[in-house]
Amino acid sequence: MQGLMMSAPLLISSLIEHAGRHNGATEIVSRRVEGDLHRTSWGEVQRRSKRLANALIAMGVVPGDRIATIAWNGYRHLELYYAVSGIGAVLHTINPRLHPDQIAWIVNHAEDARLFFDATFVPIVAAIGARCPTVASWVLMTDADRMPTDAQGPELACYEDLIDASSDRLAWPVFDENTASSLCYTSGTTGNPKGVLYSHRSSVLHAFGAAMPDAMGISAGDSVLPVVPMFHVNAWGLPYTAALAGCKLVLPGPALDGKSLYDLFENEKVTFSAGVPTVWLGLINYMKQHGFAFSTFKRTIIGGSACPPAMIRTLNDDFGVEVVHAWGMSEMSPLGTTCKLANRHLTLPRDQQLRILEKQGHVIYGVDMRIVDPDGHDLPWDGEAVGDLLVRGPWVMREYFKAEGGDPLVVDEDGVSWFPTGDVGHIDADGYLQITDRSKDVIKSGGEWIGSIDLENIAMAHPSVLMAAVIAVPHPKWDERPLLIVVRKPDRDVSRADLLAYYDGKIAKWWTPDDVVFVDSIPLGATGKMLKTRLRDTYRDHRLPTA
Ligand code: ADP
């Protein structure tokens, strides 16, 4: 027997319709490439995304076409999110921090039909224009009077001209909710980048999941500032979740330094933010230098790589900001787990609570996870047994774009398919995941795991350490041993012996790194994560004193 409820496909256009119709006056504030602040509203974004959709249709864009963006977090990028997906085309967000050769490779692999970009990226377009034959128009996201007259490369169209020439009368088309909505290539530690192709259904369900209190907990009362870029996993889905919740959205554009962010947090009364750990370093330093405090900022989600416990404590204790540690990946839209206390944890002493909050957390409804041994057998959830982490759910990828890399899924004995994350960790009896390592980025000493993340976290808690990475270095006896690579804080000194002694009593003795290297900087990938693969290459021949 069928239920007798209306059937409405879960389409991204329904999010902007909801926000425009029911929270139309709520503000969207953007810092533009030009440096000024721009103010609009959900109602205006709804109208302009319809104009843009009509413009795209007039240009000849058809459902399934890939429409690329190389852009910061801003209102025009937001309009593209809704206009492109709304007409059944695929929004392909590209990471501008990649090398132009890699960008050209991605544009060609995706066969992008149009490319929209911010003024910052005119040089990228000049560099790749001639190499991207599928791109029929290059649209500069600016006003007519700011169009460059002497730009090298392909002929450019003007974004505001397209909007001005189009009507805002449009009924969004209704189609299958499993239609592709957006595309994002993962940075790819090995081989070429691979595309993750999200659907309308996966994106809307993820937005519901993300809004829940134990996930991002976003409501109409919030002012949300995504530091995480809109070119990286759809800014963790925040442009969709914010529309669903009808909250104020503050988009920081290209200015991610401590001062610019702090000004925006204060002036726009930001209550919630999201970003990878490294982005908070600059902000915290700036605020400490000036003795500043936050007046409205209360909660932030930190993920993308392990959040050092020292950062959780600093934000909590010194700045009154609740840190929700989260784990996920591009292939998961990205949310998998978020770390909030359960009811039974509320009476625990603060120190024990903090130890729970340092974990990557509990799955949110929609995601299921397992940890397995090398033969694929389930490991106990005892907070100790460490294994490979597998996930499944309606916003988890089943295959890369164009079947790149073959079928990634593994099938369990009940015939159920799981996505292997490449992450390694344990799960405790309460269902809290702790990532201890990555299967492609692990240290195995004498057949035993050493948690590089634990070692980094301890080093990061040292008052003289600005940044720390721990990598595996070949060792004749133990196969691999940990090497600690450290960037010291300016004006601070610390010796190798001091740092190694700092581990005493905090970990098993044999986990202590065998050596320390001091560097001026640690290479970061395009998404702000430490490039462990690069470090491993650099220090492959490093001679450990114990070798
Ligand atoms: P995102 O940066 O959005 O998480 P990516 O696809 O770039 O997505 O990277 C996903 C990988 O980043 C994960 O597989 C995991 O290795 C690592 N990662 C993400 N969040 C965490 C976290 N909280 N702790 C440890 N590692 C994490």
Side-chain angles (χ1 to χ4, degrees):
M1 188 186 281
Q2 293 268 296
L4 293 174
M5 308 308 284
M6 288 187 187
S7 171
L10 302 175
L11 297 179
I12 283 171
S13 53
S14 69
L15 296 172
I16 190 63
E17 280 304 295
H18 171 80
R21 195 168 153 79
H22 301 286
N23 296 289
T26 302
E27 261 191 314
I28 314 287
V29 181
S30 311
R31 192 185 304 276
R32 296 205 280 195
V33 174
E34 297 82 9
D36 61 343
L37 277 192
H38 174 273
R39 292 178 186 277
T40 181
S41 63
W42 280 116
E44 192 54 23
V45 169
Q46 177 196 30
R47 284 186 288 278
R48 282 177 44 104
S49 58
K50 287 185 171 186
R51 284 171 167 243
L52 182 58
N54 277 326
L56 291 169
I57 294 167
M59 288 166 103
V61 171
V62 294
D65 275 358
R66 270 77 70 201
I67 308 300
T69 61
I70 308 183
W72 301 111
N73 293 6
Y75 66 102
R76 292 186 178 116
H77 207 177
L78 188 65
E79 291 160 3
L80 279 154
Y81 262 58
Y82 287 106
V84 172
S85 304
I87 59 168
V90 179
L91 182 85
H92 174 201
T93 53
I94 299 179
N95 188 334
R97 296 182 184 133
L98 298 173
H99 190 275
D101 290 347
Q102 212 169 12
I103 295 181
W105 187 91
I106 289 175
V107 169
N108 288 325
H109 188 268
E111 299 171 79
D112 292 324
R114 322 277 149 165
L115 193 146
F116 288 71
F117 59 102
D118 271 334
T120 321
F121 308 119
V122 169
I124 295 181
V125 167
I128 67 170
R131 285 186 273 163
C132 300
T134 60
V135 179
S137 17
W138 302 81
V139 185
L140 178 52
M141 295 157 68
T142 192
D143 305 298
D145 59 1
R146 289 190 205 259
M147 288 295 286
T149 47
D150 56 348
Q152 307 281 306
E155 196 186 322
L156 305 182
C158 169
Y159 185 92
E160 291 300 331
D161 282 352
L162 291 181
I163 299 253
D164 288 346
S166 306
S167 139
D168 63 3
R169 284 192 61 82
L170 172 84
W172 295 110
V174 176
F175 42 78
D176 178 2
E177 64 183 15
N178 289 300
T179 303
S181 58
S182 66
L183 175 65
C184 181
Y185 281 71
T186 61
S187 23
T189 42
T190 53
N192 282 321
K194 296 189 191 71
V196 182
L197 189 61
Y198 307 100
S199 70
H200 285 257
R201 176 184 159 79
S202 72
S203 304
V204 173
L205 287 175
H206 180 269
F208 269 114
M212 288 196 298
D214 280 330
M216 295 186 180
I218 293 176
S219 82
D222 278 310
S223 168
V224 172
L225 187 153
V227 182
V228 54
M230 287 167 76
F231 55 74
H232 181 62
V233 213
N234 299 324
W236 295 348
L238 278 166
Y240 305 132
T241 309
L244 175 147
C247 65
K248 173 171 174 177
L249 198 52
V250 183
L251 301 170
L256 303 177
D257 61 287
K259 178 181 186 325
S260 306
L261 281 179
Y262 181 72
D263 290 350
L264 219 43
F265 272 85
E266 285 303 295
N267 297 337
E268 301 308 324
K269 302 193 169 30
V270 169
T271 56
F272 176 86
S273 185
V276 297
T278 41
V279 305
W280 304 108
L281 291 174
L283 182 60
I284 290 173
N285 278 347
Y286 173 78
M287 291 179 67
K288 284 203 160 159
Q289 263 168 22
H290 294 84
F292 287 160
F294 289 118
S295 35
T296 53
F297 183 36
K298 287 282 169 289
R299 270 172 315 126
T300 185
I301 195 146
I302 299 187
S305 58
C307 182
M311 184 176 284
I312 298 182
R313 284 170 198 251
T314 302
L315 281 168
N316 238 294
D317 302 347
D318 301 353
F319 296 104
V321 177
E322 179 197 359
V323 173
V324 181
H325 192 194
W327 167 85
M329 54 198 306
S330 304
E331 290 86 339
M332 301 174 67
S333 302
L335 276 186
T337 64
T338 51
C339 203
K340 294 263 212 135
L341 297 178
N343 183 268
R344 65 187 160 286
H345 300 139
L346 298 181
T347 48
L348 293 176
R350 185 64 186 150
D351 236 45
Q352 282 184 44
Q353 290 182 341
L354 276 172
R355 274 208 295 285
I356 297 171
L357 292 169
E358 288 162 7
K359 298 186 178 202
Q360 276 72 10
H362 198 278
V363 289
I364 55 179
Y365 168 77
V367 177
D368 194 6
M369 65 180 175
R370 299 164 69 203
I371 39 165
V372 298
D373 69 13
D375 298 322
H377 297 125
D378 277 294
L379 288 166
W381 288 19
D382 58 7
E384 282 177 15
V386 167
D388 289 313
L389 180 62
L390 312 180
V391 292
R392 64 193 307 272
W395 58 76
V396 176
M397 189 200 74
R398 68 164 188 268
E399 186 179 308
Y400 289 101
F401 186 44
K402 296 187 170 176
E404 218 54 54
D407 180 1
L409 302 187
V410 294
V411 180
D412 68 16
E413 49 222 24
D414 299 320
V416 177
S417 295
W418 295 81
F419 178 79
T421 62
D423 286 322
V424 170
H426 52 72
I427 303 174
D428 68 20
D430 287 334
Y432 283 67
L433 166 73
Q434 179 142 25
I435 301 285
T436 53
D437 234 312
R438 265 148 243 158
S439 49
K440 46 193 181 247
D441 179 17
V442 295
I443 306 166
K444 229 173 173 190
S445 173
E448 297 280 348
W449 300 111
I450 292 181
S452 60
I453 294 172
D454 282 345
L455 299 183
E456 287 164 11
N457 286 342
I458 293 170
M460 285 292 288
H462 190 284
S464 299
V465 172
L466 183 65
M467 219 189 237
V470 175
I471 56 164
V473 172
H475 188 281
K477 180 169 179 195
W478 302 105
D479 190 30
E480 291 177 347
R481 288 295 302 158
L483 169 69
L484 171 63
I485 299 164
V486 162
V487 183
R488 279 178 280 219
K489 283 188 184 155
D491 313 314
R492 289 284 201 145
D493 205 16
V494 62
S495 69
R496 173 184 182 280
D498 287 344
L499 275 176
L500 295 182
Y502 194 64
Y503 282 99
D504 278 352
K506 298 194 175 83
I507 42 152
K509 192 88 192 141
W510 63 275
W511 274 38
T512 308
D514 282 21
D515 204 0
V516 184
V517 189
F518 294 100
V519 293
D520 290 332
S521 66
I522 287 176
L524 298 180
T527 58
K529 293 183 206 187
M530 298 188 288
L531 278 181
K532 296 273 200 93
T533 43
R534 172 101 55 89
L535 289 173
R536 280 208 295 268
D537 280 339
T538 309
Y539 294 99
R540 176 155 295 138
D541 298 319
H542 181 85
R543 223 189 119 70
L544 295 169
T546 50

